[in-house]
Amino acid sequence: QVQLVESGGGLAQPGGSLRLSCAAPGFTFSHYAMTWARQVPGKGVEWVSSINGDGSVTWYADSVKGRFTISRDNAKNTVYLQMNSLKPEDTALYYCTKEKSFYHTNEYDYWGQGTQVTVSS
């Protein structure tokens, strides 16, 4: 069934870049919006970015606009998050999440295990 597997996290310096990937087998991938969210210990989950089912519309949190880019390759059942100009405050555990509809509605039904991103000099 549905299993979301994130990868690509690691250590980056401020101003650097990382590209996160999320493999999403087990469902008709192109029918659903996908979301990236992140969490810092002791804080709640922060929504980062979403993309609708066919990739035609994207949404970004104000904190990452102009720096992060979400994309998807429906032929590969994979969603990506390109993170540029990284800041220390981007340090978090990043989760890939499946939404419940074709459009971004903030309703999620599956989460991956997360991939750690650490931004530090």
Side-chain angles (χ1 to χ4, degrees):
Q1 295 181 323
V2 175
Q3 283 192 321
L4 308 181
V5 182
E6 302 98 333
S7 62
L11 178 65
Q13 294 191 344
S17 298
L18 288 172
R19 183 176 177 87
L20 307 184
S21 298
C22 172
F27 62 98
T28 305
F29 185 68
S30 63
H31 287 188
Y32 298 95
M34 298 293 292
T35 280
W36 287 97
R38 63 189 183 186
Q39 186 171 29
V40 176
K43 299 184 67 176
V45 175
E46 177 188 16
W47 171 79
V48 174
S49 184
S50 297
I51 186 167
N52 74 344
D54 65 3
S56 62
V57 184
T58 59
W59 298 262
Y60 297 93
D62 288 342
S63 59
V64 306
K65 283 182 179 177
R67 300 188 299 117
F68 290 11
T69 302
I70 190 170
S71 62
R72 65 193 297 160
D73 185 341
N74 285 351
K76 296 181 178 180
N77 281 23
T78 302
V79 63
Y80 305 94
L81 186 68
Q82 178 67 46
M83 305 185 295
N84 298 327
S85 301
L86 284 163
K87 303 175 180 180
E89 52 262 44
D90 294 319
T91 296
L93 184 64
Y94 283 72
Y95 293 98
C96 175
T97 306
K98 174 187 175 294
E99 299 207 29
K100 293 183 177 180
S101 75
F102 183 87
Y103 306 96
H104 168 53
T105 58
N106 276 327
E107 294 185 87
Y108 316 107
D109 53 9
Y110 293 95
W111 295 69
Q113 291 294 110
T115 185
Q116 180 66 40
V117 171
T118 301
V119 184
S120 176
S121 60

